Amino acid sequence: MKNLGFAAVGAGALVLAALLAAGASQIPGEAGYAGAGPNFLPWAVSAGMAICGIALLASAWRARGDVVPAPDFPPRWRATGWISLGLLLNAALIEHAGFVVSCALLFALASRGFRIGADQQPAWRLLASDFAIGAAVSAPVFWLFTKGLGLTLPAVLPGGWI
C-alpha cells in the first residue's frame, strides 16, 4: 500500500476515538437542560473523531497515488520548539499566574514560533507587544467565563478581575 503513513493517521484517529468513547462511558448521562446530559459532548467528539478516522482510512486505501505529497521544505524545529514551550508554560503556569497571564504568554510565544516558521527573524521587542495582544484577547474571554457564565478560571488577583 502506497499511503501507509496516511492510513496510520486514520488508524490513530480511530484509536483516539475509542479512548474518547471509553472516557465518555464513565460520565453519568442524566439529561439536563434541553435534554442533553454531561456526556453528550464527549460522545459527539468521539463520534466525530471516528468519522474522521474512517474517512482517512478510506481515502488512504482508495487512492491510486500519494494522497498528500511530501512537503518541499524542511521541518521547522525552532518554530515547533517556541510553540511547544508556550503550551507547556501555559499548562504549568495557569494555576499560579492566572488565566490571562498564562494565555498571553502562550500567545506571545506561539506568535514568535509562527514568525520563525515563516522564515522571519522577529525582534525580541515583539514579545512584549504580542504579550499585550494576548492579554487583550484573553481578558475578555476570562471575564465572559467568570462573570458572564459564572465559571471558575484561575485569576491573578483575589478579586477575580484579572
Side-chain angles (χ1 to χ4, degrees), residues 11-12 85-86 91 141-142 144 147:
L85 177 65
V141 171
F142 176 80
L144 174 71
K147 304 303 178 195

Side-chain angles (χ1 to χ4, degrees), residues 56-133:
L56 286 167
L57 279 173
S59 63
W61 287 109
R62 298 178 81 186
R64 299 199 189 283
D66 286 336
V67 175
V68 178
D72 292 336
F73 55 85
R76 311 285 196 215
W77 294 114
R78 282 185 55 224
T80 304
W82 279 101
I83 296 167
S84 299
L85 177 65
L87 288 168
L88 291 171
L89 285 176
N90 180 272
L93 295 176
I94 195 164
E95 289 290 327
H96 306 289
F99 179 84
V100 175
V101 172
S102 64
C103 288
L105 183 62
L106 169 61
F107 184 89
L109 295 177
S111 295
R112 183 167 183 80
F114 284 126
R115 286 187 179 108
I116 290 171
D119 290 329
Q120 298 176 8
Q121 296 299 323
W124 285 100
R125 63 177 165 72
L126 283 175
L127 274 177
S129 65
D130 287 338
F131 185 87
I133 293 169

